[in-house]
Amino acid sequence: WLVIAVTIVTALGSVVYVLVTPRVYKAEALLLPPKAKDFQSINLFGLQKTLVEHRELNYLEKEVKPEDVFEKFKQNLKSRKMQKEFIQKYGLMEILDSGPTPGTRDEELYKGFAGLIELVEENGHTILSIELGDAVIAAKWINDFIQFVDKETAAMLVEDLRNSIINHVRNIEYKIGSKRQMAKQRREDQIARYHEAAIIADSLGIKRRVDATNIIQNTQMNVDIATATTPLYYLGYEALMTEISILKNRNTDDPFIAGLRDLQERHALLSSIKFDKKKMSAVYIDRPAYPPNFPIKPNRRIIVSFATVVGLFSGILLAFFIEFLQNQRKKH
C-alpha cells in the first residue's frame, strides 16, 4: 500500500505540474539560397561586362552569387539592429513587455527577443525558429521577420550598388569637366599662337598661304631648320585671322575633345540603371512557418511517465527502508 500511495501521489503531482506549466510552441521555417532570377538586376548582365571593361565599376568584377546574397540575409537575421527595427515596425514592444515581468527596459526586451530566435543549419536547409506560448503568433512572427529581413537585405544590396554607381558617375563627371576645361585652355593657347604668327606674317608681308617646301628649298637654311616644323606664319595673315575668329566664336569644344563621347556614353549608361527592389529577394522560402499543433514544452507524456516510474521506485525503496527500521527496532 505504501508503494501504491507514493506512486499515485507522484503521478498526480506530475499531472498538476504539466497542467499549471505554460505551454511553449515552436514555429519554424525552412530557408534556402535565392534563385538567380530573384536578384538578376544586381548582376546587370551585359552592362556588367561593359563596365568592367572600362574599369568603371570594380564592384561588379565578381558576379554576385546566390550564396553571397543568402549569407548577407543570414547575417541580417542575427543583427540586433535589424531585430530592433522589426520590433519597432510591427509594434511588438507591448506584447514582449506583457510577460511575467512587465516594465522591463527596452534593451532587455530586445535581448529577450533575440533569445527567442534560433538559426541552425540542418540537412542542407537553414532553419529559423522561435519559441512562444502562442502557436499562431509564433508562426506569424517568423514569417513577418523573414519578409522584413528579406526586403531590408535587398534594399541594402541595391543601396551599396547604387552608391558605387553614383561614385563612378561623379568620377566621370569630373573627367568630363576636366577635359572641357583643358580644351578651353588649349583653344586659348592656340589663339595666342595664331595671333603671334599673324603678327609675324603681317610683318613679313605674307598675306596668303605660302608653300613652305619651295621656300625652304630656295633659301640657304641648314639641315636643322629644314627638318623643323613649318612655322605657323606661313599659313598667311588672312588664314590666321580667320582661324582666330573661328576659335573665338566657337560655342563648344566638345566635338574636338578626344575620348569625350566615350565618357558621355558611359555616363548615360550608368545613369540609366534602374533597380526594382520589389522583384528582388535574398532568400527562397522552402517552407513557411505554420502554427504547430503540439507544444514542445512541457512534454506531458515524458514528465508524467518519468514521475510515475520515479514514484514507483521511491515507494519500493521507502517500503524497504521502513521495514529495515522496524527490524532494527525489534532487535534492539
Side-chain angles (χ1 to χ4, degrees):
W1 285 111
L2 180 62
V3 172
I4 294 174
V6 172
T7 303
I8 292 175
V9 170
T10 307
L12 291 176
S14 64
V15 172
V16 173
Y17 170 78
V18 296
L19 292 176
V20 173
T21 303
R23 297 182 179 183
V24 177
Y25 296 89
K26 183 177 183 180
E28 59 184 23
L30 302 183
L31 310 177
L32 290 171
K35 307 293 184 181
K37 63 182 180 63
D38 294 331
F39 60 93
Q40 61 186 8
S41 60
I42 296 180
N43 284 325
L44 304 178
F45 294 112
L47 179 59
Q48 173 185 341
K49 182 179 179 181
T50 302
L51 297 176
V52 173
E53 287 176 351
H54 293 290
R55 297 183 179 180
E56 292 294 345
L57 205 55
N58 295 330
Y59 180 82
L60 292 176
E61 288 184 359
K62 182 180 179 182
E63 184 179 1
V64 181
K65 297 181 180 179
E67 294 77 13
D68 300 331
V69 177
F70 191 49
E71 190 63 32
K72 184 70 174 178
F73 171 78
K74 290 191 290 184
Q75 290 177 3
N76 288 334
L77 285 177
K78 301 176 184 178
S79 170
R80 290 293 180 87
K81 178 177 179 295
M82 197 71 67
Q83 295 172 2
K84 181 178 179 180
E85 292 177 358
F86 170 73
I87 292 172
Q88 293 174 347
K89 180 178 179 180
Y90 285 83
L92 305 183
M93 293 295 294
E94 295 182 0
I95 300 177
L96 293 172
D97 197 28
S98 61
T101 55
T104 309
R105 292 183 303 173
D106 292 351
E107 291 302 324
E108 293 180 356
L109 292 176
Y110 298 142
K111 186 177 180 180
F113 178 81
L116 296 175
I117 294 178
E118 184 180 15
L119 188 67
V120 297
E121 304 288 342
E122 185 177 312
N123 297 328
H125 285 87
T126 298
I127 302 176
L128 180 66
S129 60
I130 190 172
E131 297 181 3
L132 287 176
D134 191 310
V136 176
I137 293 179
K140 186 177 186 305
W141 281 14
I142 283 291
N143 294 327
D144 289 346
F145 188 49
I146 292 173
Q147 183 180 8
F148 174 78
V149 175
D150 183 21
K151 291 182 178 180
E152 291 297 317
T153 303
M156 291 172 65
L157 292 171
V158 169
E159 190 64 23
D160 290 343
L161 183 56
R162 182 178 287 117
N163 289 336
S164 182
I165 291 175
I166 290 174
N167 290 334
H168 288 286
V169 167
R170 190 178 295 114
N171 290 336
I172 293 176
E173 291 173 349
Y174 290 153
K175 291 179 181 178
I176 292 175
S178 176
K179 281 182 174 292
R180 283 173 173 167
Q181 184 177 357
M182 292 308 299
K184 181 181 179 182
Q185 184 63 50
R186 290 191 182 98
R187 178 159 56 90
E188 293 175 354
D189 293 342
Q190 190 173 7
I191 291 173
R193 289 195 301 271
Y194 281 1
H195 184 70
E196 182 179 295
I199 294 174
I200 296 173
D202 187 44
S203 300
L204 295 176
I206 304 175
K207 299 298 182 181
R208 298 179 180 277
R209 182 183 181 89
V210 177
D211 188 352
T213 304
N214 295 331
I215 293 178
I216 293 174
Q217 290 175 350
N218 296 328
T219 57
Q220 299 297 322
M221 294 183 180
N222 57 34
V223 178
D224 293 335
I225 295 178
T227 57
T229 304
T230 304
L232 282 174
Y233 58 81
Y234 281 133
L235 292 174
Y237 179 78
E238 294 179 358
L240 289 169
M241 294 306 296
T242 302
E243 289 278 2
I244 291 172
S245 176
I246 291 175
L247 289 173
K248 286 183 176 180
N249 295 326
R250 181 181 290 173
N251 294 325
T252 176
D253 295 312
D254 288 3
F256 307 93
I257 301 175
L260 178 65
R261 298 310 183 194
D262 292 336
L263 288 174
Q264 290 177 331
E265 181 182 3
R266 295 204 291 273
H267 183 278
L269 188 62
L270 289 170
S271 301
S272 65
I273 298 175
K274 304 296 181 183
F275 300 100
D276 190 356
K277 293 185 289 186
K278 295 181 180 179
K279 295 182 179 180
M280 294 177 58
S281 180
V283 62
Y284 176 77
I285 304 175
D286 192 34
R287 192 194 70 191
Y290 295 101
N293 296 323
F294 304 100
I296 60 168
K297 299 177 185 178
N299 194 322
R300 295 182 174 181
R301 289 185 179 180
I302 294 178
I303 292 176
V304 174
S305 300
F306 181 75
T308 303
V309 173
V310 171
L312 176 62
F313 282 98
S314 298
I316 294 174
L317 292 175
L318 183 60
F320 277 107
F321 182 70
I322 293 175
E323 181 69 18
F324 173 77
L325 292 179
Q326 291 176 348
N327 292 335
Q328 291 294 325
R329 187 177 301 174
K330 290 179 180 180
K331 291 180 180 180
H332 181 69

